Amino acid sequence: MQRWRGLEDIPQDWGRSVVTIGSYDGVHRGHQLIIGRAVERARELSVPSVVVTFDPHPSEVVRPGSHPPLLAPHHRRAELMAELGVDAVLILPFTAGFSQLSPADFIVKVLVDKLHACLVVEGPNFRFGHRAAGTVDFLAELGTSYDYAVEVVDLYVSGAAGGGQPFSSTLTRRLVAQGDVAGAAEILGRPHRVEGIVVRGAQRGRELGYPTANVETLPHTAIPADGVYAGWLTADGERMPAAISVGTNPQFDGTERTVEAYAIDRVGLDLYGLHVAVDFLAYVRGQQKFASVDELLVAMADDVKQCRELTAGH
């Protein structure tokens, strides 16, 4: 899959293509319907499929300080899109100047002049251009002048997650923030993932017999609520069952919020400096301060037992 950053990265000889546009944070099951349809139609038309997305999130430029927690960084989104069969991903740097583009100018500069769209696939609530003034109807109206068609995909998907609300990135972020990683996984179609570099911490886990990978997460990452979780730690291409702790380590009066993962039954791992991924399967318990370290050790042993069983049964 080709990855372009900015319009200037698009090959000059790029031909017609099927395009879909959106933030697509998380590439959840609703997003997968739209992207999957774009890929399907591109294959029917014998042209490439292109996903157009933005960096940073448009809200950070339009309303500084309002950047939402991210469900997936851009490289992870690209991986997920590649799995869906997408041929190219275009990441447009979202600047103050870019935010001023009118819907008509956006169509001409991106869809017509650069991507030569023959078909644009979107959800019914897609908005674009300055002040999000562009609608799907406007997109279709200009398509008659610029020789592209528009197909609208109904992405209304719902399940038990969030009490039956339609799947969305907003709902997924809320569930993650509440610690409902199982509900988030229902929407995403996979466990919620947090990534980062393993850094040196206080090393108390090692002293207690449970050495953990202290993950310095990427900026704006959506991190689950404080607590203990079952899941997996992936490093150097190896996926290992893990007991995961999120929080400030109240037993030792910590103040810095961290994500730490203990690779269950693994001995002698040296992960410092590696980029790792932590996938959250299930909530086990909340964080708490015990009366003694001995009580903490009993709880940790039970945590690991539960996490071992949960990951083995998944």
Side-chain angles (χ1 to χ4, degrees):
M1 185 182 73
Q2 298 188 53
R3 303 185 192 187
W4 308 318
R5 186 170 183 87
L7 296 174
E8 63 280 358
D9 275 1
I10 301 171
Q12 291 189 355
D13 59 352
W14 188 255
R16 304 304 297 270
S17 58
V18 173
V19 182
T20 183
I21 309 160
S23 291
Y24 291 130
D25 183 24
V27 193
H28 60 64
R29 285 167 57 190
H31 295 153
Q32 290 167 30
L33 288 177
I34 300 174
I35 297 170
R37 182 57 178 165
V39 169
E40 180 184 14
R41 293 290 284 121
R43 288 174 178 167
E44 290 173 0
L45 297 168
S46 300
V47 297
S49 55
V50 182
V51 175
V52 179
T53 188
F54 308 97
D55 185 39
H57 193 283
S59 66
E60 181 63 16
V61 175
V62 178
R63 296 178 299 278
S66 66
H67 199 304
L70 293 178
L71 298 169
H74 279 291
H75 71 267
R76 176 62 174 158
R77 291 182 223 176
E79 290 171 1
L80 295 167
M81 291 171 185
E83 290 173 6
L84 292 171
V86 172
D87 294 302
V89 172
L90 167 62
I91 300 173
L92 291 176
F94 199 89
T95 62
F98 188 85
S99 73
Q100 299 295 314
L101 275 182
S102 70
D105 284 344
F106 178 91
I107 288 171
V108 171
K109 290 180 180 294
V110 179
L111 295 177
V112 179
D113 289 350
K114 289 295 186 176
L115 295 176
H116 310 295
C118 61
L119 175 67
V120 182
V121 180
E122 294 297 341
N125 300 319
F126 174 63
R127 304 298 293 260
F128 65 101
H130 184 52
R131 297 186 181 276
T135 63
V136 170
D137 288 342
F138 181 77
L139 185 66
E141 181 184 334
L142 265 66
T144 59
S145 300
Y146 290 112
D147 192 27
Y148 64 81
V150 173
E151 184 171 326
V152 179
V153 175
D154 183 3
L155 49 59
Y156 185 91
V157 185
S158 63
Q165 295 182 46
F167 290 169
S168 68
S169 296
T170 300
L171 174 59
T172 312
R173 293 185 193 106
R174 192 182 82 210
L175 294 175
V176 169
Q178 294 171 345
D180 185 358
V181 294
E186 181 190 353
I187 299 173
L188 293 169
R190 63 185 183 280
H192 174 59
R193 172 173 288 190
V194 167
E195 299 184 35
I197 302 296
V198 177
V199 298
R200 293 191 182 276
Q203 298 192 314
R204 290 196 184 93
R206 187 176 300 277
E207 295 169 4
L208 297 172
Y210 298 96
T212 59
N214 188 345
V215 183
E216 186 174 72
T217 57
L218 301 175
H220 303 297
T221 295
I223 297 174
D226 290 1
V228 176
Y229 299 84
W232 293 273
L233 172 67
T234 299
D236 267 348
E238 183 180 4
R239 192 174 191 235
M240 299 167 278
I244 307 156
S245 174
V246 178
T248 58
N249 204 338
Q251 189 70 37
F252 301 98
D253 300 320
T255 56
E256 183 180 354
R257 195 161 184 256
T258 60
V259 176
E260 300 179 62
Y262 165 63
I264 297 172
D265 301 328
R266 295 299 299 268
V267 178
L269 286 176
D270 183 6
L271 303 178
Y272 291 121
L274 293 183
H275 184 98
V276 301
V278 178
D279 292 319
F280 291 82
L281 171 64
Y283 177 85
V284 174
R285 65 170 174 87
Q287 281 229 324
Q288 61 187 104
K289 185 172 183 176
F290 295 90
S292 68
V293 172
D294 285 341
E295 284 190 24
L296 170 64
L297 286 170
V298 171
M300 290 174 72
D302 186 56
D303 294 339
V304 170
K305 178 176 180 291
Q306 289 190 63
C307 293
R308 184 187 291 112
E309 292 171 352
L310 286 164
T311 52
H314 189 269

